Amino acid sequence: MKKTNQFMYSVLLCTALQLPIAVNTFAATPSDEYKGPPNGEIEFRVGSPKTTVIAGARVIVINPDGKILTTGLTDSTGTFRANVPFYITEWNENLKTKGIVTAIAVATGFNGQVVFIVPITNHTVQPIILQPITPNARNFPSASLGNIHQQDLRGFVAHYAEELKLKQQPAIPGDPGYLPWSPEQKKSGAAKP
């Protein structure tokens, strides 16, 4: 069952980020070479479209295996801080993001919100916007993706693109430091750039 949950979470991550599916993305064991802190902190800031603060909202943090890591209520500033263990693999050691979690937020008078793929960093700030319950209307929980740094997204895409030996597209005028990946694979035997 555990491997099935890891695979499904991998599929969700790859689908959400529009990456190729890699079965063992989260099946790797944490690296013994990593010497940084064992935990990251996620600061959840819960609000609504009309107010920046919802005090007393419940935040539930879930790991990739579907188990609750921690839960708590937002304080008077609408903030809940969670210490979450890093998930280190060899390929993400140089990225800010050291794993991901899912969060659920619920509050009295509001529809729930699920935030998928919340990055674990030394200090992640993850906003969550709850929608008010509307009488005489259809009310459902909503879902969104976590606040992932653009450089980490580049790193995720690069990891899988390099694994598949994809070619890079030409440089973008005005952004010479970024070469988007092509869907074409390099010819076998071609040297790595």
Side-chain angles (χ1 to χ4, degrees):
M1 184 70 171
K2 183 177 180 181
K3 289 203 183 276
T4 301
N5 287 340
Q6 287 175 335
F7 175 73
M8 292 307 295
Y9 205 74
S10 274
V11 170
L12 174 63
L13 171 65
C14 292
T15 303
L17 296 177
Q18 298 180 351
L19 300 175
I21 295 173
V23 175
N24 291 327
T25 302
F26 291 104
T29 56
S31 171
D32 294 331
E33 297 171 14
Y34 179 75
K35 303 295 183 212
N39 291 317
E41 178 185 70
I42 303 173
E43 180 180 325
F44 294 96
R45 296 179 182 174
V46 182
S48 76
K50 293 184 179 181
T51 177
T52 57
V53 173
I54 298 177
R58 166 79 54 193
V59 178
I60 306 163
V61 182
I62 303 165
N63 75 7
D65 292 333
K67 294 185 173 62
I68 295 174
L69 288 172
T70 188
T71 185
L73 299 174
T74 56
D75 61 18
S76 61
T77 67
T79 302
F80 170 71
R81 286 181 179 80
N83 286 313
V84 182
F86 281 145
Y87 186 85
I88 309 299
T89 60
E90 287 180 19
W91 68 269
N92 78 7
E93 285 179 352
N94 295 323
L95 299 177
K96 285 184 176 181
T97 298
K98 302 286 194 275
I100 57 174
V101 292
T102 297
I104 300 171
V106 294
T108 303
F110 295 89
N111 290 296
Q113 171 78 13
V114 179
V115 184
F116 293 102
I117 312 174
V118 177
I120 305 167
T121 65
N122 285 332
H123 183 80
T124 300
V125 175
Q126 179 59 61
I128 300 177
I129 305 299
L130 298 181
Q131 298 298 322
I133 292 172
T134 306
N136 303 314
R138 295 183 73 172
N139 291 279
F140 289 100
S142 55
S144 64
L145 293 177
N147 192 15
I148 300 174
H149 192 275
Q150 292 170 338
Q151 293 299 333
D152 281 338
L153 284 175
R154 282 186 182 183
F156 283 124
V157 173
H159 170 74
Y160 290 105
E162 288 168 359
E163 190 173 302
L164 291 172
K165 296 177 176 47
L166 298 182
K167 293 180 180 179
Q168 288 186 292
Q169 296 180 50
I172 301 170
D175 189 6
Y178 177 57
L179 301 175
W181 293 95
S182 163
E184 297 177 31
Q185 290 182 301
K186 297 175 187 172
K187 294 178 183 173
S188 59
K192 244 184 165 177

